[in-house]
Amino acid sequence: TIGHLYLCVALDQLNALLEKYRKIFIVTLLLSAFVSYLLALKFQRLLTKPIMAMVKQVENLAAQRDYTKRLSLNLTNELGSLQHGFNHVLDAVEERETQLKRHSETLQDIVNKRTKQLYQKAHFDALTGLPNRYLLLDRLDHAISNAKRNNGQLAVLFMDLDRFKVINDSLGHEVGDQLLQAVSVRLKNVVRECDTVARLGGDEFVILLENVDHARDCARVAEAINQVFEAQFNLEHHVLHVSTSIGICVYPDDGADAKALLKHADISMYHSKQKGPSNYSFYEAKMDEKIHLRLEVENQLRHAIEYDELYLHYQPQTCIKTGDINKVEALIRWHNKLLGQVPPIDFISVAEEIGIINQIGLWVVGQACQQVKSWQDAGLKSPKVAVNISSTQLLDGELINHVERLIEQYEIEAHYLEIEITEDVFVDQSTRTVEVISALRDMGINIAIDDFGTGYSSLSYLKKLPIDTLKLDGAFVSDVQYSASSQGIVSSTIMLAHSLGMKIVAEGVETQSQLNFLKSQNCDYAQG
């Protein structure tokens, strides 16, 4: 160690200088930060303002779903390119939205149309446009509820067309459908707007009458229906005469619910049908027994030929001038082991309804030919045998061939047969009727019109049809000795037949006074 050096320095001036520089630094730093914030805020606004505007417009578009609006920022930088791209996206979205809307409207139209079609199919008859069974039951239930609440009445009319099966089978389903459509129009014109006309199926119609005060109101409607059916139906190629049978039941007397009312109206309709064309009947409890009997008749009748239960009686047609029996009419009879003797009036109409009348008719023709052969083999002079042919059988294509085979089989001459046709043949005034009758007559078979005066006789067609005999209905003969009008009808019919070159047979002759009057009018034959 050489020695020690001691330095003495004053730091107050240095510390004061450092303090000054520190303050200058802090102030400068704060000022720089503030200036930077201001600059940043200004530049941020320049950048974010258009972006926020775009965001706001996008939010409005999303909320309003109005894709026709566009962004309009008027920028030329990158944000302007972004705006242009966004507007281009909106163009595509708008086009797609328009397509989807158009497609949605098309689908909605299809759905509405299909819904309407399904409702129509579920509630209305496709052929006539009338309410079907489903809608009828719905309306009937509502009507019953209203009647119960208001202590009122309603009526159900069950109606079907007499011999509709004849028309449908002989003329075809197309003609049958045309007739049903024409019938529905007439029925709608008869009832009030508040009433319902429905088609259950086939030729069955139901009319619901609401707010009925008296039973006679129902009778007036039934009579009005029968009245409008008196006019012929002019279809495309056919002129048809059609009648109806109507059954009536009234709520609450005849049934408390829809099922019971329809059932009882149906039963009373069958009762009307048994009374003859253009009839109506009110329901009565005793009708239930008759409908059960009818069902039993139907079941047993299906096997009547098979079980050999049918047979024929032959009723003479006597020549009034000479008293000779030149002709007989074959009358069918039926004896069933369960039902006993069943009158023809109880089973012929049933046979027509269930479609076996043609089979029975052909059986009758065969039995008649066999009887003629038996009489001839026994050495007897056989009279002509008249057999009844239904309208459907007359127009059956096999009738002529079948008759020819029977004549050949039993080796008899055709003139021993006479075909009797009821005036139902006039239900269709077509050339087909004339052709069939002419073919039978050309074979040598006589043709007769049965029950003349009770159906739809047309004098013009009497001239066209090759008819040999008119059979005057017994209703005109029964009171001929008392009624001047019946005498006039009988006399004029006899004159008509003779003027047309026809023979005339008076049916139902039972008294001497009737016979005397017929003889005085030059009637040819009496049957009864």
Side-chain angles (χ1 to χ4, degrees):
T1 301
I2 299 175
H4 298 276
L5 177 64
Y6 293 92
L7 297 177
C8 182
V9 180
L11 297 177
D12 293 339
Q13 187 178 0
L14 178 62
N15 289 335
L17 185 62
L18 288 175
E19 184 64 25
K20 177 183 177 181
Y21 289 156
R22 187 182 295 114
K23 289 180 180 179
I24 291 172
F25 176 75
I26 291 174
V27 171
T28 302
L29 182 62
L30 291 175
L31 184 60
S32 299
F34 179 71
V35 172
S36 298
Y37 171 74
L38 292 177
L39 292 174
L41 186 62
K42 181 174 180 60
F43 285 115
Q44 184 180 21
R45 285 181 178 178
L46 291 174
L47 182 64
T48 60
K49 183 178 180 179
I51 295 178
M52 293 304 296
M54 291 176 62
V55 171
K56 186 175 182 179
Q57 289 194 39
V58 170
E59 289 177 348
N60 290 336
L61 288 174
Q64 298 174 5
R65 301 184 67 85
D66 184 3
Y67 301 108
T68 61
K69 296 182 179 180
R70 297 292 181 267
L71 299 181
S72 55
L73 302 178
N74 299 320
L75 299 176
T76 57
N77 53 11
E78 288 81 358
L79 291 177
S81 299
L82 178 61
Q83 169 195 290
H84 179 72
F86 188 78
N87 286 340
H88 183 69
V89 171
L90 286 178
D91 291 338
V93 171
E94 182 184 9
E95 182 180 358
R96 183 61 177 167
E97 181 73 9
T98 302
Q99 291 176 351
L100 289 175
K101 186 176 180 180
R102 200 158 43 233
H103 186 60
S104 175
E105 291 174 351
T106 302
L107 287 177
Q108 189 61 46
D109 290 341
I110 293 173
V111 169
N112 292 340
K113 185 178 180 180
R114 292 291 185 269
T115 302
K116 186 176 181 180
Q117 289 175 344
L118 289 174
Y119 181 86
Q120 187 77 15
K121 186 173 291 186
H123 295 82
F124 292 89
D125 175 55
L127 177 64
T128 63
L130 296 176
N132 60 12
R133 180 184 293 272
Y134 178 84
L135 184 55
L136 171 67
L137 291 174
D138 182 64
R139 292 186 181 180
L140 185 52
D141 287 334
H142 280 87
I144 291 173
S145 298
N146 291 336
K148 186 182 298 184
R149 185 166 52 251
N150 300 321
N151 196 27
Q153 293 187 114
L154 62 87
V156 174
L157 279 64
F158 200 109
M159 187 201 92
D160 84 344
L161 307 180
D162 298 327
R163 300 184 180 276
F164 175 73
K165 185 173 175 55
V166 173
I167 298 172
N168 218 29
D169 292 346
S170 60
L171 304 181
H173 294 289
E174 183 177 351
V175 175
D177 289 346
Q178 292 176 13
L179 176 60
L180 292 174
Q181 291 170 335
V183 166
S184 67
V185 172
R186 291 195 185 183
L187 290 179
K188 285 189 291 186
N189 291 335
V190 170
V191 301
R192 303 167 298 179
E193 272 192 41
C194 62
D195 300 325
T196 297
V197 179
R199 180 185 176 222
L200 297 191
D203 62 328
E204 293 180 338
F205 295 84
V206 171
I207 301 172
L208 169 60
L209 304 177
E210 300 190 49
N211 303 320
V212 174
D213 296 326
H214 303 284
R216 60 176 176 269
D217 297 332
C218 309
R220 277 197 290 266
V221 174
E223 290 168 357
I225 292 173
N226 286 332
Q227 185 175 0
V228 299
F229 274 76
E230 289 177 0
Q232 65 188 22
F233 287 85
N234 297 307
L235 303 183
E236 187 174 353
H237 300 295
H238 302 273
V239 177
L240 304 181
H241 295 271
V242 181
S243 60
T244 66
S245 296
I246 303 173
I248 307 172
C249 69
V250 180
Y251 171 88
D253 297 339
D254 301 330
D257 54 39
K259 183 178 179 181
L261 289 172
L262 287 174
K263 176 184 176 183
H264 293 161
D266 189 13
I267 290 174
S268 56
M269 183 273 293
Y270 273 107
H271 182 76
S272 300
K273 194 174 284 292
Q274 292 175 355
K275 295 194 299 184
S278 300
N279 268 293
Y280 64 88
S281 299
F282 285 87
Y283 172 75
E284 298 176 13
K286 62 182 180 181
M287 292 180 180
D288 288 335
E289 298 179 5
K290 293 184 178 180
I291 197 64
H292 290 313
L293 176 60
R294 183 203 171 279
L295 291 174
E296 189 61 36
V297 167
E298 177 181 327
N299 293 332
Q300 297 296 323
L301 185 59
R302 294 183 184 276
H303 307 287
I305 295 179
E306 177 185 351
Y307 296 158
D308 198 24
E309 296 176 347
L310 299 176
Y311 58 97
L312 298 181
H313 278 177
Y314 297 91
Q315 188 175 53
Q317 295 179 8
T318 306
C319 178
I320 293 179
K321 289 183 179 180
T322 65
D324 296 335
I325 298 176
N326 299 328
K327 294 193 295 184
V328 295
E329 180 181 357
L331 304 176
I332 190 170
R333 298 292 182 262
W334 177 31
H335 185 273
N336 179 262
K337 60 182 179 181
L338 294 178
L339 302 174
Q341 196 71 29
V342 184
I345 193 173
D346 290 340
F347 71 84
I348 293 298
S349 59
V350 175
E352 291 174 342
E353 290 177 26
I354 64 178
I356 64 172
I357 189 65
N358 287 7
Q359 180 184 357
I360 292 177
L362 293 177
W363 177 87
V364 171
V365 175
Q367 292 295 306
C369 291
Q370 185 178 8
Q371 183 62 67
V372 170
K373 178 65 173 175
S374 298
W375 282 330
Q376 291 178 346
D377 289 345
L380 301 174
K381 180 182 178 182
S382 176
K384 289 183 183 294
V385 179
V387 294
N388 288 278
I389 295 295
S390 69
S391 299
T392 53
Q393 189 174 1
L394 179 69
L395 299 177
D396 185 356
E398 288 298 313
L399 175 64
I400 297 174
N401 294 334
H402 186 82
V403 172
E404 287 178 337
R405 286 196 298 269
L406 289 172
I407 291 175
E408 183 178 350
Q409 175 184 347
Y410 290 105
E411 299 177 342
I412 63 173
E413 296 179 19
H415 67 82
Y416 283 104
L417 284 181
E418 181 173 82
I419 300 295
E420 289 191 6
I421 306 165
T422 62
E423 287 186 290
D424 291 335
V425 73
F426 294 107
V427 77
D428 170 44
Q429 300 178 1
S430 66
T431 56
R432 174 62 179 164
T433 303
V434 179
E435 290 173 357
V436 174
I437 294 177
S438 298
L440 291 171
R441 199 162 183 262
D442 289 343
M443 293 168 55
I445 298 174
N446 282 16
I447 306 296
I449 297 294
D450 196 14
D451 299 330
F452 183 78
T454 61
Y456 309 109
S457 298
S458 167
L459 297 182
S460 63
Y461 267 81
L462 281 181
K463 293 194 301 180
K464 295 180 182 180
L465 291 173
I467 305 299
D468 299 288
T469 305
L470 288 185
K471 300 189 68 177
L472 184 63
D473 187 78
F476 301 110
V477 178
S478 60
D479 61 347
V480 73
Q481 63 267 47
Y482 311 114
S483 171
S485 60
S486 293
Q487 291 177 1
I489 292 173
V490 171
S491 299
S492 60
T493 305
I494 293 172
M495 291 177 60
L496 171 67
H498 288 165
S499 66
L500 294 173
M502 303 175 186
K503 299 294 185 181
I504 188 159
V505 178
E507 297 181 291
V509 181
E510 298 179 352
T511 67
Q512 187 64 43
S513 59
Q514 294 170 349
L515 183 62
N516 291 340
F517 177 80
L518 293 170
K519 188 173 184 179
S520 68
Q521 301 300 314
N522 296 319
C523 183
D524 298 300
Y525 294 95
Q527 177 179 342

